[in-house]
Amino acid sequence: MITPFSVLDTRTKEWKQRKDYWITTYGIQSELGREDTESKSQFWDSSSNVSVFDPTLCELMYEWFVPKGGKILDPFAGGSVRGIVAEEMGYKYVGIDLSHKQIKANQKQSSKPFWIQGDADKQLFLLNDDYDFVFTCPPYYDLEVYSEHKDDLSNLNVSNFDAKLERIIYKSYTKLKENRFFGIVVSEVREPSTTGNYSIGNYRGLVHKTISMCERYGMKFYNDMVLFNSQHQASRVGKTYFDRNRKIPSVHQNILIFVKGNPDIATEEIKGGEFECEIEGKKYLTFRHAAISINPNKLVASEVKRRCISRKTKYKNWQIIGEETRPEIKYVIGDIPFESPLQVCDMIEELTESQCRNYFESNAKKFQHWKRVEPKDWNISYKEMEDLWNLSDKAGGVSIYSETIQCGDKKFISVNEAAKECGVSGERIRQKLKDSNYIDWKYLDNSN
Ligand SMILES: C[S@@+](CC[C@H](N)C(=O)[O-])C[C@H]1O[C@@H](n2cnc3c(N)ncnc32)[C@H](O)[C@@H]1O
């Protein structure tokens, strides 16, 4: 509905319609709970003297940067809007706010979001989940002072504010999953100039400080957007400022988007959908998702697809979900299936590939259980093939030689082996094998 350009214009008809939709449909009164706020700002919407976060902005940020049904963390919850929009869009929202009054006012508007009252600096480490998106809007220094509380950022001097904001950003970052986005709305605030405490009113640098704080812990600054607020107030008071000391009235806020990990993987997971392929036991949403997750330098989506449809043994664990390639069983040893002699010598390390090839071709009775078979007679998956391998491993592994004779209750690969074991001559063994009196002495046929 609104194009993802770096300037988001809240003055457009679509934007306002969407905003009204949220406020009227869900009875969002995000201005409630902050009645004691002392606001120095003259630029917010005229309707209330406190800043009210925009539901349309919430909707866009969640739509663009959060996987379906994802979990959203907000260390400075403020009013109800970010929570209600999140829950009504099917996300799980956890918001922390120091102000008891604020939390109460929010909970009256909706019971769906999970609001925690407390100092985010302390509460964040108590959270045990991982989140798919951090989206928040801290106090802008003392532009709005929300309370006298010692932990209230809006109540701190600039250096303590910066230190505490950084800790809260860091702790929020630790709660964010890998390959996810982190969004924070800030704005520049000028040094106040009061009687007897003249200041030139320079900006305090909240925007660039926030960027460095986020980058300090490994997040990458990824999208830089501005929220174009209404000019109504600015045009009312701006002229005074401009004429007096060329201060440009700010009619925007900065929406800073950072990424933790890989934005390509994050985007694939935001788009979501059914898993397309499974590689080495891990499912991926698309071939591209797999390529970037496994090795973005060496793999591309088409190569992942090629490997998934390949029948080569080395790609047996690269599969398209629902179109799994199945092994082409051409060899068996006893009832253990193999696609190639190479697979056999991978399993029976003391044998070489050419030895395995020879045994399959051999007519010797002791290799009678090494057989070539028709692939059409073996309709099994790679997993089933490996399960049979593991079973035979547990049962002592594949026997290279097949017993060819039975002497009483013992079986032997050859007459020589039996003779040595029984301490008699080979001739004696053969006599007993032919002697019908020795019913449990016989030649074995393991060919089937
Ligand atoms: C209201 S928001 C910022 C304004 C923004 N326009 C909005 O509506 O979201 C700032 C919130 O941070 C809260 N806050 C201040 N210090 C805090 C802290 N240490 N931990 C958690 N919340 C805090 C305040 O109570 C306030 O509700």
Side-chain angles (χ1 to χ4, degrees):
M1 114 197 123
I2 289 170
T3 320
F5 287 157
S6 63
V7 176
L8 299 177
D9 191 343
T10 65
R11 304 160 312 153
T12 62
K13 189 163 76 12
E14 298 84 14
W15 189 288
K16 288 186 176 149
Q17 276 171 350
R18 202 69 199 154
K19 188 173 174 180
D20 295 345
Y21 157 78
W22 280 108
I23 291 172
T24 49
T25 313
Y26 299 100
I28 298 174
Q29 299 173 283
S30 202
E31 68 284 2
L32 296 184
R34 241 174 292 152
E35 290 72 11
D36 322 336
T37 297
E38 202 197 302
S39 173
K40 297 189 192 64
S41 111
Q42 293 157 342
F43 297 139
W44 304 135
D45 282 356
S46 57
S47 55
S48 69
N49 75 342
V50 292
S51 63
V52 179
F53 205 84
D54 194 304
T56 309
L57 176 62
C58 298
E59 180 179 12
L60 289 179
M61 294 301 110
Y62 299 156
E63 184 80 27
W64 293 348
F65 297 112
V66 191
K68 301 251 167 323
K71 292 174 71 89
I72 297 167
L73 175 62
D74 182 354
F76 301 103
S80 61
V81 63
R82 287 194 290 276
I84 294 176
V85 173
E87 293 284 341
E88 297 305 337
M89 288 178 76
Y91 301 105
K92 294 309 295 162
Y93 172 93
V94 173
I96 305 169
D97 199 286
L98 190 65
S99 157
H100 196 68
K101 197 167 173 208
Q102 182 69 75
I103 297 289
K104 284 278 159 269
N106 295 357
Q107 287 166 337
K108 275 208 198 88
Q109 295 165 54
S110 172
S111 58
K112 295 181 183 168
F114 185 62
W115 279 297
I116 302 168
Q117 188 280 322
D119 174 7
D121 209 357
K122 299 188 184 67
Q123 294 295 329
L124 280 163
F125 271 169
L126 304 176
L127 299 176
N128 48 27
D129 290 354
D130 283 343
Y131 292 80
D132 295 286
F133 190 45
V134 171
F135 187 52
T136 197
C137 179
Y140 301 169
Y141 292 113
D142 57 358
L143 183 67
E144 291 179 320
V145 177
Y146 302 100
S147 73
E148 307 288 314
H149 195 292
K150 64 174 180 45
D151 293 325
D152 189 325
L153 263 77
S154 64
N155 209 16
L156 304 177
N157 64 29
V158 170
S159 59
N160 290 341
F161 176 102
D162 293 347
K164 192 170 181 76
L165 177 61
E166 177 155 350
R167 285 196 304 275
I168 291 172
I169 284 176
Y170 168 68
K171 291 173 182 175
S172 306
Y173 157 78
T174 62
K175 295 292 163 190
L176 188 63
K177 286 179 186 162
E178 194 57 26
N179 307 321
R180 291 291 188 270
F181 292 103
F182 182 114
I184 184 164
V185 178
V186 289
S187 180
E188 278 305 344
V189 177
R190 294 183 183 281
E191 278 293 340
S193 179
T194 51
T195 321
N197 181 7
Y198 171 77
S199 145
I200 63 166
N202 56 291
Y203 276 143
R204 292 172 168 167
L206 182 56
V207 176
H208 71 78
K209 285 181 193 171
T210 304
I211 295 171
S212 334
M213 290 172 189
C214 291
E215 290 190 323
R216 197 156 298 132
Y217 301 104
M219 285 194 279
K220 300 290 181 226
F221 185 27
Y222 197 68
N223 288 317
D224 178 18
M225 295 179 275
V226 293
L227 186 69
F228 199 148
N229 293 121
S230 90
Q231 294 159 287
H232 174 65
Q233 295 296 72
S235 46
R236 203 166 58 72
V237 297
K239 188 171 178 327
T240 325
Y241 286 88
F242 184 78
D243 290 348
R244 185 184 298 155
N245 46 29
R246 288 295 176 268
K247 279 195 183 83
I248 303 291
S250 165
V251 291
H252 75 280
Q253 293 174 79
N254 297 76
I255 307 160
L256 310 175
I257 302 289
F258 300 84
V259 64
K260 179 178 181 177
N262 185 308
D264 290 277
I265 296 175
T267 307
E268 292 293 331
E269 293 171 12
I270 287 165
K271 289 192 274 186
E274 301 301 312
F275 287 111
E276 183 165 50
C277 56
E278 180 168 339
I279 291 156
E280 307 295 351
K282 192 161 184 309
K283 290 193 170 71
Y284 297 93
L285 294 158
T286 62
F287 298 129
R288 181 168 179 272
H289 186 211
I292 299 164
S293 307
I294 298 166
N295 185 337
N297 299 321
K298 287 227 179 62
L299 280 177
V300 289
S302 54
E303 171 57 14
V304 171
K305 184 170 183 185
R306 188 189 69 73
R307 293 182 184 189
C308 286
I309 52 185
S310 157
R311 304 198 67 161
K312 284 215 179 84
T313 309
K314 69 178 179 179
Y315 296 132
K316 65 180 170 11
N317 297 327
W318 294 62
Q319 297 288 352
I320 296 174
I321 293 173
E323 293 166 36
E324 282 76 3
T325 52
R326 299 171 84 73
E328 210 174 4
I329 304 302
K330 296 181 187 150
Y331 303 86
V332 293
I333 303 176
D335 51 14
I336 311 297
F338 296 91
E339 290 182 286
S340 63
L342 185 61
Q343 270 181 354
V344 178
C345 67
D346 283 352
M347 182 187 273
I348 313 174
E349 278 141 19
E350 66 262 39
L351 293 181
T352 63
E353 190 184 351
S354 64
Q355 275 178 307
C356 294
R357 231 171 251 298
N358 297 341
Y359 294 167
F360 281 118
E361 306 313 327
S362 162
N363 295 327
K365 265 192 149 297
K366 64 182 178 182
F367 298 120
Q368 61 191 327
H369 59 317
W370 290 65
K371 281 178 290 203
R372 299 187 70 121
V373 292
E374 285 305 317
K376 62 176 173 43
D377 302 337
W378 279 82
N379 186 11
I380 59 171
S381 71
Y382 276 107
K383 179 148 183 349
E384 287 158 338
M385 179 178 76
E386 283 180 12
D387 290 349
L388 288 169
W389 291 359
N390 299 337
L391 269 180
S392 86
D393 263 358
K394 286 203 188 81
V398 170
S399 46
I400 297 175
Y401 307 106
S402 128
E403 287 102 359
T404 58
I405 58 174
Q406 178 176 322
C407 306
D409 59 357
K410 287 209 174 83
K411 294 179 179 175
F412 298 98
I413 292 169
S414 65
V415 169
N416 293 348
E417 192 197 23
K420 216 159 61 246
E421 178 81 14
C422 304
V424 296
S425 69
E427 194 41 41
R428 180 70 191 120
I429 299 288
R430 282 190 198 88
Q431 279 168 358
K432 285 178 128 178
L433 285 169
K434 287 195 194 93
D435 185 337
S436 57
N437 294 323
Y438 291 91
I439 44 167
D440 49 3
W441 281 62
K442 56 186 173 210
Y443 285 95
L444 297 172
D445 174 5
N446 294 333
S447 57
N448 50 15

